[in-house]
């Protein structure tokens, strides 16, 4: 109706001048648009989420809004959409929204409404996991630390003060979404909501009170009347008013508790998280695709990649302890927002194949077909015209051939073939045809410059280009207080800082033997974590840190003491608060003792219960040195004597934006441990001296067989993370300020900016490869005529505005090697380069049929492959 009115209106007013007419038409369209926002009805049955009366097969992907910037959101969501994702899943992170009690923050990266509206604008659905416990490798699992100080509170159990706060925050988020009409029945994108998170994994020690809590949480959520279903993940005893869902690397064996619930996988871990001190995890695309295909094969209709884009733990948001600043997760979109190939492309193909089966999946139940001891098929059929099949080979070693409907099908080990018409295989999870990209971190052509010497390249930076400021050792200001005995850190600091100073005085008699002979007394310190540094009389003596699996520290540090008064100054540092486990909130941190001195004439001295002076946080935090301003409290020094390799120094410099639009990272390899700020925004904790162990990485990564976080590890013996993402939107063209607080000692002169650049694309497709899934769309319908598409090699430049500028290598025949080092084999045509050149150069994407008709036949009877390496610019 509205559309007609607009048309009529424009016809009748032809004579009205252009601008006015256009303005009116737009206004009318605007009104119509609002009126057109249709209410979406969301329910579910035992097979699927039902949207407007129609069962849906949905692919979902997690993108956590505070782990990227609002500038990045539209592109990330668009890339998810292009990759075949229908739903974006995010947690809501309580502690960023209410950092202090009775204070709210929904601005910038924390603008949840804007994020959900960005999803809506892209035409996707949203799954809002309110929690409000999130886990997510996020500081304190998402809980604000002030919650811990509410008298009588006990987290995640039948406890009135906790339930009151949990309900208040959940209601606040629901109301906020309702006010903006963001739930599906209001015309918004939110089709599902989650309450709690994986409580079933850790509920045992909470006993009966835990059981009561879960029932309460479900009823509380449902009472908020969002109009969309609520889920609880990993909660086998969830009450029937919510859907219990699955999280894990594989989910095909899962069946929901109630026969009336659909099979929903809220977290399919697309890789794994990185912790400082650990190698870098990766999960092969073939295995991830296998897990997904098995899910839909065995009755699943909703699956979510945790993560689809992992992003970055900016500021102090990472949990753990020891979760790294990068939360890349080996997700289909990398930390910087670029497609992680071939994973992104391979999954896109998989999603297209699954969507070709949607009609069969929603109209029927899976019928099991035995294909062998480690092989199984499932058929979805509703009458003669609708039939889809999945054929799986779960054997992790051997390829095999199975018979299905009288036809032989070759099934590689650990793979699933998808047949949307029960005849033609359009996709096999182990066959990757998607392009790969060689991603380089290139030295940026920008300058880290002091404002007075713009000409100098950052490579030849001289000392005067940095300013510095020492952070005081031990007690530095008014807030210091003294107490008998040692204190627990989280209770003392309330997470207002990573840092807590413990200082005590020890008097040494003149006749102590260690003052004369060459022995040294030993300081013994026991800490609950996470990182510990020892200073004696203001001098750094050493330190030790725990790790993600064992944060506790026992340190025996030889020290030098003088006769008379000595100050023992211990800096205890947290590296993200615990986010998982029963009673995780009570784990605690810091030096809880004992602290002893050994090697004295009377044996050991226990310092644990003597008087200690405490100072919370750094002076530079209190007086905001990270803004880089010169104030009465922050007198930055410059000149030739910049301290290097010394602990507890603030550094600052200025820089111009790296040229181009590629994503930017700081290479911090020359530094120790600390925090970096760009224009006052914390890019997170850096820690390149925390190395992964030497062993545990696989030279080759075999996708076959069960994946776990210990498989396919990379980077053994190297720093867990050296590159730190600096979002483009935080950088101005000129005059940016970089500030570092270095805890351990480093050389800022070696810091550089890098840009993440994808120049080379490679693809390798053989004549026996399957054609692209989309090319089947028409031929499946006309299959009676027996038209079969041919395999194609497809290339697409990753960034918008890029085109293929040249072809570095192309060969049709028996090419050898891999991307970056392809060589011609014994069999090759001369036509490959000109054909590929013509098809691709000057274009953002291209596709070329891999056939003898196209390239000629250089070696009859041999299966030929087309390998191409192209450059985008
Ligand atoms: C799950 C949890 C997620 C995340 C994931 C590991 O147990 O629900 O929030 O922590 O593990 O990345």
């Amino acid at each position: 109706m509205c559309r007609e009115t607009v048309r009529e209106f424009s016809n009748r007013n032809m004579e009205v001048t252009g601008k006015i007419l256009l303005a009116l038409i737009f206004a009318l369209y605007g009104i119509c648009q609002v009126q057109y926002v249709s209410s979406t009805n969301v329910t579910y049955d035992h097979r699927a989420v039902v949207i407007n009366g129609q069962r849906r097969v949905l692919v979902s992907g997690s993108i956590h809004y505070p782990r990227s910037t609002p500038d990045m959101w539209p592109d990330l969501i668009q890339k998810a959409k292009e990759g075949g994702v229908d739903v974006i899943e995010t947690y809501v992170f309580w502690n960023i929204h209410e950092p202090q009690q009775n204070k709210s923050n929904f601005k910038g990266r924390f603008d949840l409404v804007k994020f959900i509206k960005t999803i809506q604008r892209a035409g996707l659905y949203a799954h809002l996991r309110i929690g409000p416990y999130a886990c997510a490798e996020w500081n304190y699992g998402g809980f604000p630390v002030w919650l811990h100080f509410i008298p009588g509170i006990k987290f995640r159990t039948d406890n009135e003060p906790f339930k009151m706060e949990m309900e208040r925050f959940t209601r606040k988020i629901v109301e906020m979404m309702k006010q903006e009409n963001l739930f599906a029945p209001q015309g918004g994108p939110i089709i599902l909501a989650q309450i709690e998170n994986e409580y079933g994994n850790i509920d045992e020690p909470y006993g009966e009170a835990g059981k009561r809590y879960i029932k309460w949480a479900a009823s509380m959520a449902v009472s908020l009347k969002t109009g969309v279903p609520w889920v609880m993940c990993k909660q086998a005893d969830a009450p029937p008013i919510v859907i219990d869902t699955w999280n894990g690397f594989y989910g095909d064996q899962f069946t929901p508790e109630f026969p009336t619930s659909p099979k929903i996988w809220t977290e399919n871990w697309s890789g794994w998280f990185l912790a400082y001190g650990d190698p870098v995890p990766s999960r092969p695309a073939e295995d991830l695709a296998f897990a997904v295909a098995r899910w839909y094969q065995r009755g699943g209709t909703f699956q979510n990649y945790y993560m689809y884009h992992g992003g970055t733990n900016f500021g102090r948001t990472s949990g753990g302890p020891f979760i790294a600043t990068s939360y890349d997760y080996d997700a289909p979109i990398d930390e910087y927002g670029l497609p992680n190939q071939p994973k992104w492309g391979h999954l896109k193909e998989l999603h297209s194949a699954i969507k070709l089966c949607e009609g069969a999946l929603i109209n029927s139940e899976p019928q099991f077909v035995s294909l062998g001891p480690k092989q199984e098929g499932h058929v979805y059929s509703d009458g003669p015209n609708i039939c889809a099949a999945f054929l799986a080979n779960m054997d992790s070693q051997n390829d095999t051939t199975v018979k299905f409907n009288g036809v032989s099908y070759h099934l590689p080990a650990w793979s699933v073939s998808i047949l949307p018409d029960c005849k033609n295989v359009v996709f096999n999870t182990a066959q990757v045809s998607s392009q790969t990209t060689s991603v380089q971190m290139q030295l940026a052509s920008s300058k880290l410059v002091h404002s007075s010497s713009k000409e100098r390249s950052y490579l030849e930076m001289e000392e005067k280009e940095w300013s510095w400021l020492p952070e005081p050792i031990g007690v530095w200001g008014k807030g210091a207080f003294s107490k008998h005995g040692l204190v627990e850190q989280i209770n003392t600091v309330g997470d207002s800082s990573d840092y807590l100073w413990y200082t005590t005085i020890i008097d040494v008699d003149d006749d102590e033997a260690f003052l004369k002979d060459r022995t040294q007394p030993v300081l013994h310190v026991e800490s609950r974590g996470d990182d510990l540094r020892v200073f004696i009389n203001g001098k750094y003596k050493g330190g030790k840190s725990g790790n993600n699996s064992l944060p506790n520290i026992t340190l025996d540090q030889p020290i030098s003491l003088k006769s008379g008064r000595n100050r023992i100054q211990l800096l205890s540092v947290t590296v993200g608060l615990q986010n998982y486990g029963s009673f995780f909130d009570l784990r605690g941190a810091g030096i809880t003792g004992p602290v002893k001195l050994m090697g004295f004439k009377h044996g050991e001295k226990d310092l644990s219960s003597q008087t200690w002076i405490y100072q919370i946080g750094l002076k530079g935090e209190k007086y905001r040195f990270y803004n880089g301003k010169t104030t009465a409290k922050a007198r930055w020094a410059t000149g030739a004597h910049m301290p290097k390799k010394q602990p507890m120094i603030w550094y600052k410099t200025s820089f111009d934006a790296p040229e181009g639009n590629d994503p930017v990272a700081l290479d911090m390899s020359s530094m120790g441990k600390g925090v970096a700020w760009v224009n006052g925004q914390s890019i997170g904790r850096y820690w390149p001296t925390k190395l992964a162990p030497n062993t545990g990485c696989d030279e080759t990564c075999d996708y076959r067989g069960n994946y776990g976080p210990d498989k396919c590890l990379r980077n053994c013996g190297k720093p867990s993370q050296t590159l730190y993402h600096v979002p483009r939107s935080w950088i101005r063209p000129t005059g940016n300020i970089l500030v570092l607080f270095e805890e351990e000692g480093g050389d800022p002169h070696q810091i550089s900016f890098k840009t993440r650049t994808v120049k080379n694309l490679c693809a390798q497709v053989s004549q026996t490869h399957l054609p692209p899934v989309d090319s089947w769309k028409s031929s499946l319908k006309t299959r009676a005529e027996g038209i079969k598409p041919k395999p194609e090699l497809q290339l697409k430049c990753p960034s918008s505005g890029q085109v293929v500028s040249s072809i570095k290598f192309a060969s049709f025949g028996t090419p050898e090697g891999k991307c970056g080092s392809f060589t011609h084999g014994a069999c090759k045509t001369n036509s490959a380069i000109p054909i590929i050149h013509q098809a691709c150069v000057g274009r953002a994407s291209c596709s070329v049929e891999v056939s003898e008709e196209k390239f000629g036949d250089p070696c009859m009877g041999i299966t030929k492959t087309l390998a191409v390496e192209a450059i985008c610019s």
Side-chain angles (χ1 to χ4, degrees):
M1 216 270 276
C2 233
R3 271 179 228 272
E4 275 152 32
T5 320
V6 172
R7 207 175 302 130
E8 237 175 72
F9 179 90
S10 26
N11 286 344
R12 257 192 271 130
N13 290 280
M14 286 305 278
E15 69 278 7
V16 183
T17 49
K19 273 187 186 166
I20 300 172
L21 182 61
L22 266 179
L24 283 169
I25 291 174
F26 275 125
L28 194 52
Y29 263 123
I31 295 163
C32 291
Q33 210 94 76
V34 174
Q35 287 172 353
Y36 268 130
V37 167
S38 55
S39 153
T40 305
N41 182 280
V42 188
T43 56
Y44 60 89
D45 65 11
H46 75 287
R47 283 292 291 131
V49 171
V50 176
I51 298 182
N52 287 338
Q54 175 86 7
R55 283 182 188 156
R56 290 299 310 275
V57 170
L58 294 168
V59 175
S60 170
S62 290
I63 301 179
H64 295 157
Y65 53 101
R67 285 177 156 144
S68 53
T69 58
D71 279 61
M72 293 169 71
W73 295 342
D75 184 56
L76 294 174
I77 292 166
Q78 195 52 38
K79 283 197 173 98
K81 187 177 180 177
E82 270 172 45
V85 166
D86 310 294
V87 184
I88 302 293
E89 187 184 274
T90 183
Y91 283 119
V92 177
F93 299 92
W94 188 353
N95 53 12
I96 55 166
H97 294 308
E98 295 188 343
Q100 276 130 35
Q101 202 164 8
N102 304 322
K103 285 213 173 133
S104 278
N105 184 358
F106 287 87
K107 293 204 191 93
R109 266 165 45 235
F110 308 156
D111 193 341
L112 175 61
V113 166
K114 185 172 182 176
F115 183 70
I116 303 291
K117 286 187 174 170
T118 313
I119 297 173
Q120 181 172 31
R121 223 167 292 124
L124 298 187
Y125 295 125
H127 175 195
L128 193 67
R129 307 176 84 193
I130 302 180
Y133 167 66
C135 194
E137 291 68 70
W138 191 263
N139 196 38
Y140 218 40
F143 286 145
V145 176
W146 56 257
L147 206 62
H148 168 75
F149 296 102
I150 292 178
I153 203 159
K154 284 191 184 133
F155 287 8
R156 303 177 80 195
T157 187
D158 186 13
N159 168 275
E160 288 310 318
F162 178 76
K163 289 191 313 191
M164 213 173 86
E165 281 299 331
M166 172 165 164
E167 178 166 354
R168 183 192 57 74
F169 183 73
T170 309
R171 185 183 295 277
K172 173 169 170 171
I173 296 299
V174 166
E175 289 308 319
M176 185 180 271
M177 297 299 114
K178 278 189 188 170
Q179 264 179 15
E180 300 284 341
N181 294 320
L182 292 175
F183 286 108
Q186 302 175 290
I190 305 173
I191 55 163
L192 284 178
Q194 178 178 303
I195 192 77
E196 249 295 335
N197 189 79
E198 290 194 340
Y199 190 67
N201 281 4
I202 53 91
D203 60 1
E204 227 184 288
Y206 296 86
E208 285 307 308
K211 292 196 175 22
R212 289 196 301 276
Y213 163 65
I214 268 313
K215 287 210 177 82
W216 167 84
S219 335
M220 183 273 284
V222 171
S223 77
L224 299 176
K225 303 208 179 324
T226 58
V228 301
W230 284 89
V231 307
M232 270 188 173
C233 58
K234 295 293 277 296
Q235 197 67 50
D237 62 349
I241 48 175
V242 298
I243 309 172
D244 75 304
T245 65
W246 182 250
N247 296 345
F249 287 110
Y250 304 91
D252 49 279
Q253 302 301 323
F254 169 72
T255 30
E257 184 196 0
F258 298 104
T260 45
S261 298
K263 191 166 158 178
I264 293 182
W265 194 359
T266 29
E267 289 181 27
N268 172 9
W269 300 318
S270 55
W272 198 239
F273 57 82
L274 173 67
Y276 284 123
D278 285 353
V280 178
S282 71
R283 184 177 186 187
E286 296 92 329
D287 173 63
L288 183 55
F290 173 75
V292 175
R294 291 284 291 149
W295 174 259
Y296 291 98
Q297 167 168 12
R298 292 179 50 99
T301 45
F302 184 112
Q303 178 269 153
N304 173 70
Y305 295 99
Y306 185 99
M307 302 295 295
Y308 195 79
H309 168 256
T312 310
N313 293 313
F314 298 113
R316 301 176 59 246
T317 59
S318 69
F322 293 96
I323 298 302
T325 293
S326 168
Y327 199 64
D328 180 83
Y329 220 92
D330 196 25
I333 302 179
D334 74 16
E335 176 178 6
Y336 297 85
L338 297 172
N340 172 10
Q341 297 285 30
K343 197 177 258 189
W344 183 89
H346 191 51
L347 296 175
K348 176 182 158 80
E349 286 287 286
L350 166 67
H351 304 150
S352 299
I354 289 164
K355 284 297 162 79
L356 286 178
C357 305
E358 183 166 10
L361 291 176
I362 58 173
N363 285 308
S364 56
E365 308 292 325
Q367 303 297 324
F368 168 74
V369 185
S370 174
L371 299 173
K374 291 182 179 168
Q375 292 76 30
E376 65 177 28
H378 284 84
V379 176
Y380 291 85
S381 173
D382 180 33
N385 289 325
I386 295 189
C387 188
F390 292 75
L391 310 182
N393 180 11
M394 289 94 74
D395 191 326
S396 61
Q397 303 294 319
N398 305 302
D399 295 6
T400 191
T401 298
V402 295
K403 274 243 148 119
F404 172 67
N405 282 347
V407 180
S408 290
Y409 292 90
H410 174 76
L411 292 178
W414 204 253
S415 80
V416 179
S417 283
I418 301 179
L419 295 67
D421 60 353
C422 285
K423 287 196 183 114
N424 290 291
V425 174
V426 302
F427 184 82
N428 177 276
T429 57
Q431 192 187 93
V432 180
S433 303
S434 166
Q435 70 182 26
T436 56
T437 45
S438 77
V439 181
Q440 296 159 10
M441 295 305 291
Q442 284 190 333
L443 215 50
S445 36
S446 142
K447 293 159 186 145
L448 274 180
V449 286
H450 188 267
S451 46
S452 61
S453 55
K454 284 209 170 183
E455 303 316 313
R456 217 164 275 127
S457 136
Y458 57 89
L459 283 175
E460 4 166 291
M461 270 192 305
E462 289 184 8
E463 306 208 337
K464 66 182 173 199
E465 294 175 37
W466 284 86
S467 316
W468 69 90
L469 197 52
E471 171 69 26
I473 305 302
V475 177
W476 55 259
K478 269 200 211 134
F481 61 94
S482 63
K483 219 174 169 197
H484 290 296
L486 295 162
V487 298
E488 191 282 321
Q489 186 160 351
I490 299 170
N491 278 301
T492 310
V493 177
D495 203 35
S496 57
S497 167
D498 283 0
Y499 302 95
L500 177 63
W501 281 107
Y502 295 66
T503 302
T504 195
I505 304 290
I506 160 105
D507 286 317
V508 173
D509 295 344
D510 290 347
D511 60 348
E512 286 292 353
F514 59 77
L515 293 173
K516 293 175 197 86
D517 60 29
R518 292 183 148 249
T519 59
Q520 279 188 308
V522 170
L523 178 70
H524 173 86
V525 186
E526 287 181 40
S527 162
R528 259 184 242 173
D530 305 324
D531 181 26
L532 170 67
R533 303 197 180 272
V534 175
F535 297 80
I536 305 292
N537 298 320
K539 293 251 150 41
Y540 185 48
K541 294 293 160 195
K544 199 170 176 185
S545 54
N547 59 46
N548 179 247
S549 36
L550 187 63
N552 293 35
I553 306 163
T554 301
L555 173 76
D556 285 293
Q557 176 72 46
I559 55 170
S560 310
L561 294 172
K562 57 185 190 199
S563 123
R565 299 222 112 173
N566 290 271
R567 276 166 302 143
I568 301 202
Q569 298 147 315
L570 307 178
L571 180 63
S572 177
V573 190
T574 48
V575 188
L577 303 189
Q578 181 91 18
N579 59 266
Y580 181 73
S582 315
F583 308 110
F584 73 86
D585 47 305
L586 304 176
R587 178 185 77 82
I591 304 165
T592 44
V595 177
K596 293 180 200 166
L597 269 172
M598 267 106 66
F600 279 70
K601 61 187 175 198
H602 298 305
E604 63 179 40
K605 277 181 193 273
D606 194 334
L607 312 182
S608 313
S609 49
Q610 69 178 49
T611 300
W612 289 81
I613 309 162
Y614 294 97
Q615 179 94 57
I616 296 172
L618 305 175
K619 183 177 175 191
E621 289 178 307
K622 168 128 174 105
Y623 296 106
R624 298 170 192 246
F625 292 179
Y626 47 82
N627 288 333
K629 297 209 175 89
T630 299
T631 64
K633 298 281 182 195
R635 295 186 186 283
W636 294 90
T638 48
H641 304 291
M642 188 182 85
K644 274 189 207 165
K645 308 260 174 227
Q646 285 180 39
M648 309 300 283
I649 310 280
W650 291 82
Y651 295 101
K652 88 164 169 175
T653 193
S654 56
F655 67 95
D656 294 344
E659 278 166 16
N661 296 319
D662 289 333
V664 177
L666 266 176
D667 185 340
M668 302 295 283
S669 341
S670 66
M671 301 304 289
K673 174 178 185 293
V675 187
W677 290 262
V678 168
N679 297 327
Q681 300 260 22
S682 167
I683 64 164
R685 301 182 183 97
Y686 65 80
W687 200 355
T689 48
K690 191 77 174 165
L691 307 182
N694 286 321
T695 54
C697 290
D698 300 343
E699 278 293 305
T700 54
C701 162
D702 186 351
Y703 71 84
R704 299 172 308 171
N706 274 324
Y707 177 78
D710 292 339
K711 205 176 157 184
C712 300
L713 293 169
R714 298 175 181 155
N715 237 28
C716 279
K718 298 199 183 126
S720 299
Q721 189 182 350
T722 53
L723 297 168
Y724 294 82
H725 181 206
V726 185
R728 276 272 177 195
S729 59
W730 292 359
I731 305 176
R732 300 185 282 260
T734 56
N736 299 284
I737 306 285
L738 169 66
V739 176
L740 317 174
F741 170 63
E742 173 57 48
E743 231 177 79
E744 190 178 273
D747 180 2
H749 287 160
Q750 310 301 319
I751 295 175
S752 59
F753 277 105
K754 301 238 160 111
T755 51
R756 194 163 176 86
T757 314
V758 181
K759 285 236 162 96
N760 297 15
L761 307 178
C762 292
Q764 210 173 350
V765 176
S766 95
Q767 282 179 299
T768 56
H769 267 198
L770 294 165
V773 175
D774 279 350
S775 63
W776 283 96
K777 273 188 183 156
S778 52
S779 55
L780 283 181
K781 280 185 208 128
T782 55
R783 63 183 179 276
E785 291 142 44
I787 302 165
K788 280 201 178 171
K790 294 258 165 60
E792 280 173 30
L793 181 142
Q794 300 184 325
L795 295 175
K796 183 169 189 261
C797 294
S799 305
S800 59
Q802 278 186 326
V803 292
V804 174
S805 54
S806 61
I807 306 299
K808 206 172 152 201
F809 180 89
S811 181
F812 180 74
T814 53
E816 285 158 17
K818 51 182 191 183
C819 186
S821 57
F822 283 136
T823 51
H824 291 285
C827 159
K828 62 168 179 129
T829 60
N830 291 329
S831 60
I833 291 256
I835 291 174
I836 301 294
H837 194 278
Q838 205 197 358
C840 298
V841 171
R843 299 203 165 90
S845 63
C846 57
S847 88
V848 182
E849 192 179 289
V850 181
S851 67
E852 286 152 15
E853 291 84 67
K854 185 87 186 167
F855 290 94
D857 191 351
C859 44
M860 279 209 321
I862 291 178
T863 302
K864 286 156 285 283
T865 295
L866 175 63
V868 176
E869 180 170 357
I871 297 177
C872 291
S873 46

